[in-house]
Every structure is written in structure tokens, then in C-alpha cells.
Amino acid sequence: MAALLLAGVVLLAGAYAFLNGFHDASNSVATSVRTRALTPTVAIVLAAGFNLLGALVSTTLAVALTVRFVDLPAGPEGLGILIAGLLAACGWGVWTWWRRMPSSSTSALVGGLVGSGAASTLVGGQNIAESYRLIWEQIALPLLLSPVIAFVLAYLLVFPATWLMRYSSPRRGDAGNRIAQSVFTSAFSLGHGIQDGQRTMAVVVLALLAAGQTVETGIPFWVQLFAALALAGGTLFGGWRITHTLGYRLVRMDPLRGMSAQAVSSAMLFLGALWLHIPLSSTQTMTSAIVGAGTNQRFSTVRFIPLREILVTWLVTAPVTALLGGILLLALSPLL
């Protein structure tokens, strides 16, 4: 039974990573494609390649998430919690993709796990996490602070970028900004791989521990490779429905503001992964940076109806996936 549940967790973790790449490919390529810095094919291949590399080069966040926050019970109970959480996160990812809404895969996964863990206590199980710390550090702070910081920094970066271009012709300036966008597309994809690849690795390691296998030397290489390939594979297919929302529906985007948005969001992903060691949502940082850079024009350039829909989606992601995770765990509990 435990072996079957472990296989189910690994497969669902791969599906989550694939959907993560599929859903979040738009974050990497939307502004570059919109401003014609890169063709869609080149942009998506670059994003997939650097997502693969990013997921392979760092396991810091996976270790932090596994050791610091989650105390998963052993056996079928713990594996069932992971299955319910992953199913909730995957379902939310498919739904938001269909609705063309950029949403945080990290918040969806953490919400699903918190909900399924809380539901397990209703059927006699143990609480899997220090709930207040998990919710505050993994959901509340990234949800409330990182979008605001990304918005402000992208808005402000437009001023020095414009000043540096004061003696350049518009054509020469746009060409330079498009080259910079190409570089930042790769950098953002690398940061996305570093950040989001760790979620899948953490879940698989938790499943291995719950199944009674020892993981003493860090993340096994096959887990890293599995997560990296699934994330890159999803990116190659590309969620173009969300790309249209980010690139065309939110603000009017030119190469300078596209470059500013990608520079800020790339820096924040690396800062969160390599220095602060906290997970940040690539979706929220990129979307907020796009709106921040785009707002540094005439006020009328911001389209508030899709922006309001995106904000509502962000606010309900964790509660909805927590509810789904809890319901799924209760439905699975007779089998566990």
C-alpha cells in the first residue's frame, strides 16, 4: 500500500512540476514576446533551458521547506496528505490557466498541504506543520510584500533607465532595451527554476521520508533531475493563454518598461532564493513589476478590470486550495 501511494505522490509531483512550467512560462516570455525582443519559439526554448538549469543548480529552498516547516507523519497517512495537497494545487493550476489568470503555484501547493494536513487532524491524524509560521512565512509575507516591492521598484527603475537613454534615438534605445530583455528573460527563467524546482523536490523528499526511506545526503540526484525535466517540459509547451493576459491585457508595454519589469523580477527571485532563502512567487513578482513599470506612463494605460480579476485570484488561491486539499483528504481517508 505504501509503495503504491509513494508512486502516486511521485507521479503527482511530476504533474505539478509540469503544470508549474506550463502555467508560469508566460512569466518569462510575455514581455519579451510583446515587445518583439524575442520570437515566441526562441523565448520559450530559452525559458525551458534555463528552468532546467536553475532546478539543477540549487536545492537550498527544498531543504529549508522540508526541514523547517513540515512534520509529516509516516506511512499512508502522510502520503495521503501529500496526494490531497498536490491534487488541489494541480486542479487550481488547470482552472486558472483556463481562465487566463496568472496565479501562484507556490501558494496553491502550500494552501493544499495546509488544508489536507488540517483535515487529517479531524480523522485522528497529527498536525503536519507549525501552522501559524507556515501560513505567515510561506503565504502571507510573499503575498502581501513581494508584489508591492516589485511594483514600486519597477515603477522607480523607469526613471534612471529613461535618464540613461536621454541622448539615444528611440530606435537605438529600443534596440538596446530589447537586447537587455533577452538577457533578463534567461535570468528570470534561471531564477524561476531555482525557486520553483525546489517545490517538487521537497514534496518527493517528504514522500520518501514518509515511506520509510532514508534521505541523509541531501536531495537525491534522480529527484533533482525528475523535477528539472518536468518543469522544463511544461515550459516548452508554454501557457500562451496567460501570456496574452500579461503581455497585452494589463498595460501598454514598450521595450524600456519591459526591460525594467524583467530586471526587477529577476533580481527579486535571485534575492529570495540565494540570500533570504524564502520562496517567492514568480507570477506575483513579474505581474506586479509589469504593472509597476507600465503605470509609469499615463494613468489610462493601466487596464483595471483584468488587474482586479488577477488580484482577486491571488487572494483566494490559498483558501480555495486549502479547502480543496481538506475535502480530498477526507475523501481519501477511508483508503488510508
Side-chain angles (χ1 to χ4, degrees):
M1 179 66 173
L4 185 61
L5 289 173
L6 176 60
V9 172
V10 173
L11 289 175
L12 282 173
Y16 168 79
F18 184 89
L19 283 171
N20 190 339
F22 181 78
H23 199 280
D24 291 356
S26 56
N27 303 330
S28 301
V29 306
T31 60
S32 297
V33 172
R34 173 67 179 87
T35 62
R36 299 190 302 278
L38 294 169
T39 65
T41 301
V42 171
I44 211 69
V45 170
L46 270 179
F50 279 95
N51 268 323
L52 177 69
L53 180 61
L56 289 174
V57 298
S58 174
T59 58
T60 303
L61 294 182
V63 174
L65 182 63
T66 304
V67 175
R68 290 167 53 198
F69 296 113
V70 180
D71 182 19
L72 197 71
E77 180 188 351
L79 294 171
I81 289 172
L82 292 177
I83 288 175
L86 284 167
L87 282 173
C90 291
W92 184 252
V94 172
W95 169 252
T96 51
W97 167 79
W98 180 254
R99 297 290 299 172
R100 302 176 185 265
M101 287 292 108
S103 68
S104 171
S105 301
T106 303
S107 295
L109 177 61
V110 175
L113 291 177
V114 169
S116 60
S120 72
T121 63
L122 300 178
V123 291
Q126 70 180 65
N127 190 4
I128 68 167
E130 303 174 41
S131 298
Y132 59 91
R133 282 189 62 204
L134 183 67
I135 292 172
W136 179 247
E137 295 185 23
Q138 299 295 306
I139 297 177
L141 281 178
L143 181 65
L144 295 175
L145 291 183
S146 62
V148 175
I149 293 172
F151 177 91
V152 172
L153 290 179
Y155 183 92
L156 295 176
L157 183 59
V158 174
F159 290 110
T162 304
W163 182 82
L164 290 172
M165 292 176 52
R166 65 192 185 281
Y167 297 126
S168 299
S169 65
R171 182 175 181 179
R172 183 180 177 185
D174 285 349
N177 284 317
R178 288 189 176 103
I179 293 172
Q181 272 191 280
S182 302
V183 174
F184 285 127
T185 295
S186 303
F188 181 87
S189 300
L190 182 64
H192 178 263
I194 292 173
Q195 284 274 353
D196 286 41
Q198 315 316 311
R199 320 292 191 257
T200 305
M201 297 180 200
V203 169
V204 175
V205 168
L206 286 171
L208 293 173
L209 294 173
Q213 301 187 27
T214 58
V215 186
E216 298 177 352
T217 58
I219 309 297
F221 178 73
W222 73 265
V223 175
Q224 299 179 43
L225 186 62
F226 173 73
L229 289 175
L231 184 66
T235 305
L236 277 176
F237 282 88
W240 293 108
R241 295 171 67 87
I242 301 174
T243 300
H244 183 266
T245 299
L246 291 178
Y248 294 86
R249 294 186 61 205
L250 283 176
V251 296
R252 298 173 188 170
M253 185 63 59
D254 58 26
L256 183 145
R257 287 166 178 82
M259 180 277 297
S260 300
Q262 287 196 301
V264 167
S265 52
S266 301
M268 288 186 64
L269 289 186
F270 280 105
L271 180 68
L274 303 179
W275 185 38
L276 299 177
H277 300 299
I278 59 172
L280 295 178
S281 169
S282 61
T283 299
Q284 292 179 348
T285 53
M286 177 58 81
T287 306
S288 301
I290 288 173
V291 176
T295 303
N296 199 322
Q297 303 178 80
R298 294 187 306 274
F299 189 71
S300 61
T301 59
V302 180
R303 298 178 174 91
F304 286 96
I305 292 179
L307 179 60
R308 182 181 60 199
E309 293 173 350
I310 290 171
L311 291 176
V312 171
T313 300
W314 289 358
L315 290 174
V316 303
T317 292
V320 169
T321 53
L323 180 61
L324 287 174
I327 292 172
L328 289 168
L329 190 281
L330 295 176
L332 290 171
S333 60
L335 303 177
L336 305 176

